[in-house]
């Protein structure tokens, strides 16, 4: 556990409690510092901050698993917003700390640590994205209770806003061992307590894949939905899941791995007949969204093996150009996971692995083992090389065509879809397009918009909502083709970002289950066909208001239940008329402009790759043949403001 500066020897069961290097932690006596500036410790006091609290606690249980002492973790979100995290590890030590003079558990939950290095051995999550310690969660919780089962006893201690409100009590005997932490985020800190269940289940599932064998449960009490994740197959199984609904080009997932004292590397990969690439990288089970040296090592080795093997086997002809990384990676789904002692996290969001020594090691491992795989599976190797050559050919042809089109100035010739109400402005950087669900809302949007820079493309949701239709067929869909044409970039090897017609592509769907369904489909479609647009931050989701409140002729718009509660609390005189919007269609053009389209007032959420990935996961659930997961989705989203909502 990170918060404990004790030496843990993972090679033996003996642990010396009492050998504390107190100097290793900068003890900050006053947890008020955390309460004064929560953002400094958990990144914010909105939904992200709430998630951070949960991860902070879960990470401790994961560390216990990595230490080889925990096989099950359960996360329960109660109806009253309390969160319980429990594991079956060894239990947080409760012995008196010889220097601090208090029990170790109390120390863990009250003393701030710096998130710095702890010499715990192994490759722990420590020092990663979270790592601010359980005391921060405690400081930001109205109350926090800990139960520990250890040494045949059951121990209990309770805290409030970071300080103990009870002594450590021994109450009863215990059969097994483990730690249970229950906390309620403090309303004084978090104005609205709403957990993002899509994110919660996504990450817990990811953790289960990254820790083969570990069982992780999620119990969403309010919705009555339970999930259990356990995967013996690790990241290879993850790749298999990611490729569900795609067509793999070879049966088995290719697994490469190597472990040494200081670095463990694991790669799982499988090619499909798709056009995009999906590569995810992790360092010490932290999702390195910005990539880094492990990913670089993988990519360079992959390209090199393809070229060297292709030349040796004369699949690439002598005078042909080398394959480009993009040709090689077309249709690839892969996960690269590195575990190392002292990960350096860099980049804007500290999710880029910086350790320089990792690149060469990963590259060597991939070169050696993929070469071996190709030699042992020459049929697959040939197939993959031929695929790469075809994609190279298509890429070069498309490039030529683009140059030709540019030279001849033919670009303006593309026919725009008839349903598009385009804007007057021609500079893409100033232009926006609203993709609107439904013809009636589309009509209001056309009337309400600022036609100078806002374009409207209405899409008929029902047409999109073809359950179980093969996803590939969606490219034949007229509605989605209109979307591609309007956006202007083309797709696949014809994709050209230079031809993007709007720098804001805004999805505007109803704030109900159907709207969520359509948004999920659109995001999945974009993720699979226009991923660059998501990566480069051009895709947004508009958030329409949930309520209109009226007093006389004066109307206000509210975007969350929280705002409604606040308003009810503030205006005791009543006399307000509250209307809940059921759909965009209920708003007249002026209202739609005022609430959802006016850049000065509207709420837009920029879509991230993670959002799109979660949408894709959800998409499979919604379109799949299993009834259970679909029912769970509806249960978890019956109040659209709790969850998928933005
Ligand atoms: F952080 C926390 F306190 F909130 C928390 C810690 C929350 C949860 C859900 C679990 C844990 C936790 C801590 N689970 N398991 C542990 N293990 C230890 O702290 C531990 C136990 C025994 C020994 C030993 O060497 O005997 C060492 C450690 C680090």
């Amino acid at each position: 556990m990170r918060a404990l500066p004790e030496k843990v020897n993972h090679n033996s069961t003996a642990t010396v409690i009492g050998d504390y290097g107190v100097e290793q932690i900068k003890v900050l006596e006053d947890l008020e510092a955390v309460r004064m500036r929560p953002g400094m410790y958990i990144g914010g006091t909105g939904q992200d901050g709430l998630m951070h609290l949960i991860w902070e606690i879960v990470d401790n249980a994961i560390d216990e698993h990595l230490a080889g002492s925990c096989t099950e973790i359960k996360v329960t979100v109660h109806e009253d917003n309390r969160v319980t995290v429990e594991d079956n590890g060894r239990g947080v030590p409760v012995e008196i700390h010889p220097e601090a003079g208090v029990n170790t558990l109390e120390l863990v939950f009250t003393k701030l640590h710096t998130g710095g290095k702890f010499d715990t051995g192994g490759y722990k999550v420590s020092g990663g994205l979270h790592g601010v310690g359980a005391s921060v969660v405690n400081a930001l919780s109205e109350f926090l209770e800990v139960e520990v089962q250890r040494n045949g006893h059951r121990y209990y201690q309770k805290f409030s806003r970071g300080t103990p409100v009870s002594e450590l009590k021994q109450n009863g005997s215990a059969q097994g061992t483990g730690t249970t932490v229950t906390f309620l985020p403090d309303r004084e800190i978090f104005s609205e307590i709403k957990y993002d269940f899509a994110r919660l289940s996504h990450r817990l599932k990811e953790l289960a894949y990254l820790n083969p064998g570990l069982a992780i449960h999620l119990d969403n009490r309010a919705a009555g939905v339970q999930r259990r994740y356990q995967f013996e197959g690790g990241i290879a199984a993850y790749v298999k899941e990611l490729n569900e609904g795609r067509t793999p080009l070879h049966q088995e997932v290719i697994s490469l791995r190597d472990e040494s004292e200081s670095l463990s590397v694991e790669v799982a990969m499988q090619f499909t007949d798709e056009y995009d690439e999906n590569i995810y990288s992790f360092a010490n089970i932290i999702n390195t969204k910005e990539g880094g040296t492990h990913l670089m090592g993988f990519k360079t080795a992959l390209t090199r093996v393809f070229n060297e093997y292709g030349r040796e086997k004369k699949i690439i002809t002598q005078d042909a150009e080398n394959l480009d990384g993009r040709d090689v990676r077309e249709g690839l789904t892969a996960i690269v996971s590195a575990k190392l002692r002292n990960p350096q996290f860099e980049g804007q969001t500290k999710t880029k692995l910086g350790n320089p020594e990792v690149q060469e090691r990963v590259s060597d491992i991939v070169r050696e083992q993929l070469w071996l795989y190709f030699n042992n599976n020459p049929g697959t190797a040939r197939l993959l090389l031929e695929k790469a050559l075809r994609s190279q050919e298509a890429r070069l042809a498309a490039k030529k065509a683009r140059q030709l089109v540019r030279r001849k100035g033919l670009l303006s010739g593309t026919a725009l879809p008839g349903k598009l109400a385009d804007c007057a402005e021609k500079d893409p950087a100033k232009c926006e397009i609203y993709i609107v669900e439904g013809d009636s809302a589309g009509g209001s949007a056309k009337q309400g918009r600022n036609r100078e820079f806002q374009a409207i493309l209405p899409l008929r949701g029902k047409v999109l909502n073809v359950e179980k239709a093969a996803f590939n067929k969606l490219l034949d869909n007229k509605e989605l083709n209109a979307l591609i044409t309007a956006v202007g970039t083309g797709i696949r090897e014809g994709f050209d970002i230079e031809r993007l017609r709007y720098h804001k592509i805004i999805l505007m769907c109803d704030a109900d289950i159907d709207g969520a369904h359509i948004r999920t489909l659109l995001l999945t479609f974009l993720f699979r066909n226009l991923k660059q647009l998501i990566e480069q931050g051009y895709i947004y989701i508009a958030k329409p208001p949930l309520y209109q409140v009226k007093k006389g002729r004066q109307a206000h718009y509210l975007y969350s239940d929280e705002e409604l509660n606040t308003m009810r609390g503030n205006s005791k005189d009543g006399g307000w008329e509250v209307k809940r919007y059921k759909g965009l269609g209920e708003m007249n053009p002026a209202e739609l402009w005022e609430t959802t389209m006016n850049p000065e007032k509207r709420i837009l959420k920029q879509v991230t790759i993670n959002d799109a990935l979660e949408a894709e996961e959800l998409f499979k659930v919604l379109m799949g043949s299993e009834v259970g997961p679909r029912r769970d989705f509806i249960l978890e989203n019956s109040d659209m403001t709790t969850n998928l909502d933005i």
Side-chain angles (χ1 to χ4, degrees):
M1 161 156 45
R2 249 164 303 117
L4 262 184
E6 63 185 7
K7 302 263 186 198
V8 179
N9 181 350
H10 293 284
N11 298 321
S12 82
T13 47
T15 299
V16 186
I17 307 226
D19 182 20
Y20 292 104
V22 169
E23 66 284 355
Q24 284 184 354
I25 6 167
K26 286 197 186 106
V27 176
L28 226 173
E29 292 293 336
D30 196 359
L31 287 167
E32 266 312 301
V34 178
R35 294 179 57 83
M36 293 282 285
R37 296 183 160 181
M40 294 261 294
Y41 299 86
I42 57 164
T45 55
Q47 217 169 34
D48 285 357
L50 285 173
M51 295 310 278
H52 207 126
L53 298 187
I54 300 180
W55 302 136
E56 199 57 57
I57 299 298
V58 168
D59 280 358
N60 284 281
I62 295 278
D63 275 358
E64 185 70 356
H65 169 75
L66 292 174
S69 307
C70 155
T71 57
E72 278 198 61
I73 299 174
K74 181 166 187 191
V75 178
T76 306
V77 181
H78 304 270
E79 284 183 74
D80 59 2
N81 289 327
R82 281 176 305 133
V83 175
T84 298
V85 181
E86 58 188 297
D87 72 14
N88 64 347
R90 292 165 295 180
V92 177
V94 290
E95 294 70 20
I96 295 290
H97 185 291
E99 283 163 53
V102 298
N103 76 76
T104 309
L105 183 148
E106 185 174 322
L107 200 69
V108 165
F109 282 97
T110 54
K111 295 291 178 265
L112 204 60
H113 83 74
T114 55
K117 286 179 203 155
F118 292 100
D119 184 14
T120 45
Y123 336 99
K124 296 193 154 203
V125 188
S126 316
L129 273 190
H130 313 117
V132 292
S135 59
V136 167
V137 180
N138 194 12
L140 301 175
S141 294
E142 205 171 300
F143 68 83
L144 181 148
E145 297 168 295
V146 193
E147 195 186 285
V148 167
Q149 290 176 267
R150 190 176 158 84
N151 312 326
H153 299 295
R154 203 178 275 276
Y155 303 90
Y156 172 88
Q157 190 166 17
K158 186 170 179 176
F159 304 84
S160 177
R161 303 195 162 104
T163 50
V165 292
S166 83
E167 296 276 302
L168 177 73
K169 288 180 195 148
Q170 192 177 311
N171 66 1
S173 60
Q175 297 295 319
T177 61
T179 304
T180 305
V181 174
T182 298
F183 64 95
L184 178 67
D186 195 344
R187 281 218 158 260
E188 290 176 6
I189 308 281
F190 304 92
S191 53
E192 183 175 34
I193 300 181
K194 258 175 201 162
Y195 302 103
D196 184 340
F197 283 99
R199 191 140 292 171
L200 195 55
S201 44
H202 174 76
R203 175 63 179 159
L204 290 177
K205 181 159 86 180
E206 192 169 82
L207 283 170
Y209 274 122
L210 291 164
N211 294 286
L214 176 63
I216 304 183
H217 308 250
L218 172 61
D219 187 349
N220 175 353
R221 287 281 167 84
V225 171
Q226 299 192 15
R227 297 197 167 89
R228 183 175 187 278
Y229 302 118
Q230 186 177 29
F231 308 104
E232 299 300 336
I235 61 171
Y238 198 1
V239 165
K240 229 185 169 69
E241 194 207 282
L242 288 167
N243 278 347
E244 262 170 35
R246 298 183 162 97
T247 311
L249 296 177
H250 50 104
Q251 192 84 71
E252 57 167 10
V253 175
I254 303 172
S255 289
L256 318 172
R257 65 172 72 227
D258 184 79
E259 196 161 336
S260 76
E261 174 77 23
S262 58
L263 176 69
S264 126
V265 177
E266 228 185 313
V267 175
M269 54 194 268
Q270 189 179 39
F271 290 88
T272 70
D273 66 356
E274 303 271 324
Y275 291 83
D276 57 342
E277 55 180 81
N278 290 295
I279 310 179
Y280 304 99
S281 65
F282 298 86
N284 291 12
I285 70 179
I286 287 159
N287 190 337
T288 39
K289 295 198 179 101
E290 297 173 278
T293 49
H294 52 341
L295 186 60
M296 284 297 297
F298 168 68
K299 285 185 176 178
T300 52
L302 188 69
T303 309
R304 208 162 147 177
V305 171
F306 266 71
N307 277 306
E308 287 176 2
Y309 185 89
R311 298 233 179 248
E312 188 178 297
K313 302 291 175 209
K314 309 237 181 322
I315 305 171
I316 304 176
T317 52
Q318 207 156 25
D319 46 357
E321 232 178 273
N322 254 355
L323 292 165
D324 181 300
R326 285 166 298 174
D327 306 329
V328 168
R329 293 193 301 272
E330 189 178 277
L332 173 63
T333 302
I335 295 172
V336 179
S337 169
K339 290 179 184 148
L340 61 162
R341 200 59 67 76
N342 286 310
Q344 308 295 317
F345 290 102
E346 303 173 345
Q348 273 203 327
T349 55
K350 293 271 176 278
T351 56
K352 182 176 184 181
L353 184 67
N355 303 54
E357 70 278 9
V358 173
Q359 179 159 342
E360 201 176 309
R361 279 290 310 287
V362 174
S363 169
D364 286 349
I365 292 161
V366 172
R367 276 178 65 192
E368 193 182 306
Q369 295 190 19
L370 187 59
W371 184 269
L372 202 66
Y373 183 90
F374 277 6
N375 271 317
N376 291 336
N377 301 273
T380 303
R382 178 168 291 272
L383 191 88
L384 296 181
L385 263 138
E386 282 167 357
K387 175 210 66 87
L389 285 167
R390 276 196 306 278
S391 96
Q392 182 191 41
E393 202 179 326
R395 180 174 58 82
L396 295 176
K399 191 173 159 192
K400 232 181 232 157
R402 271 202 308 275
Q403 282 166 346
L404 199 69
V405 165
R406 282 225 190 93
R407 253 199 318 278
K408 292 190 176 167
L410 293 176
L411 274 189
S412 49
T414 350
L416 291 168
K419 292 208 295 179
L420 173 73
D422 210 0
C423 53
E425 175 64 51
K426 288 293 167 239
D427 177 4
K430 293 180 188 154
C431 294
E432 313 177 340
I433 182 169
Y434 274 80
I435 313 296
V436 188
E437 165 200 356
D439 283 334
S440 91
S444 295
K446 280 182 189 177
Q447 289 174 53
R449 69 177 171 148
N450 180 335
R451 63 179 60 243
E452 188 52 38
F453 65 96
Q454 291 179 319
I456 309 293
L457 181 69
L459 289 185
R460 284 176 34 229
K462 285 226 180 64
V463 177
L464 294 178
N465 207 351
V466 274
E467 299 229 0
K468 293 186 198 169
F471 193 77
N472 294 341
K473 291 230 181 86
L474 281 177
L475 266 187
D476 303 334
N477 182 297
K478 246 173 58 188
E479 302 290 308
L480 294 174
N481 261 304
L483 170 60
I484 292 170
T485 314
V487 163
T489 54
I491 57 166
R492 303 186 170 173
E493 57 279 342
F495 180 86
D496 183 2
I497 194 77
E498 299 288 314
R499 284 158 64 192
L500 179 63
R501 302 181 65 248
Y502 313 91
H503 280 199
K504 282 202 174 76
I505 297 162
I506 304 165
L507 311 183
M508 185 159 74
C509 300
D510 284 338
D512 65 1
I513 295 265
D514 287 337
H517 209 127
I518 288 157
R519 183 168 64 221
T520 300
L521 186 140
L522 283 172
L523 282 176
T524 304
F525 179 79
L526 293 169
F527 178 67
R528 290 208 181 173
N529 295 289
L530 288 162
K531 185 150 91 201
Q532 293 95 322
L533 295 185
I534 299 175
E535 280 167 344
Q536 296 184 36
Y538 292 120
I539 311 289
Y540 295 82
I541 290 170
K543 189 175 164 79
L546 288 180
Y547 300 101
Q548 182 196 58
V549 290
K550 253 184 166 162
K551 188 174 197 173
R553 300 190 53 189
Q554 200 188 342
H556 287 275
Y557 301 95
L558 307 177
Y559 294 81
S560 67
D561 286 318
E562 223 263 305
E563 285 182 2
L564 183 68
N565 292 337
T566 309
M567 190 213 70
R568 284 195 167 130
N570 289 346
S571 58
K572 307 220 166 9
D573 56 338
W576 292 87
E577 202 185 303
V578 178
K579 175 171 124 189
R580 185 174 179 128
Y581 285 116
K582 294 202 190 67
L584 298 165
E586 289 176 67
M587 276 183 269
N588 65 38
E591 282 174 329
L592 199 57
W593 162 258
E594 201 55 24
T595 60
T596 321
M597 301 179 73
N598 180 352
E600 316 238 299
K601 297 189 180 159
R602 71 186 177 193
I603 301 176
L604 291 187
K605 185 196 180 294
Q606 196 170 36
V607 174
T608 65
I609 279 291
N610 210 40
D611 297 328
L613 192 62
E614 281 163 21
E616 199 203 27
E617 222 168 84
L618 196 54
F619 173 81
K620 286 177 192 162
V621 166
L622 295 175
M623 298 293 158
S625 50
E626 279 182 77
V627 178
R630 202 161 39 238
R631 190 209 54 195
D632 288 351
F633 163 76
I634 293 167
L635 284 175
E636 281 198 332
N637 292 284
S638 60
D639 167 13
M640 275 307 299
T641 56
T642 51
N643 190 327
L644 226 213
D645 211 25
I646 40 176

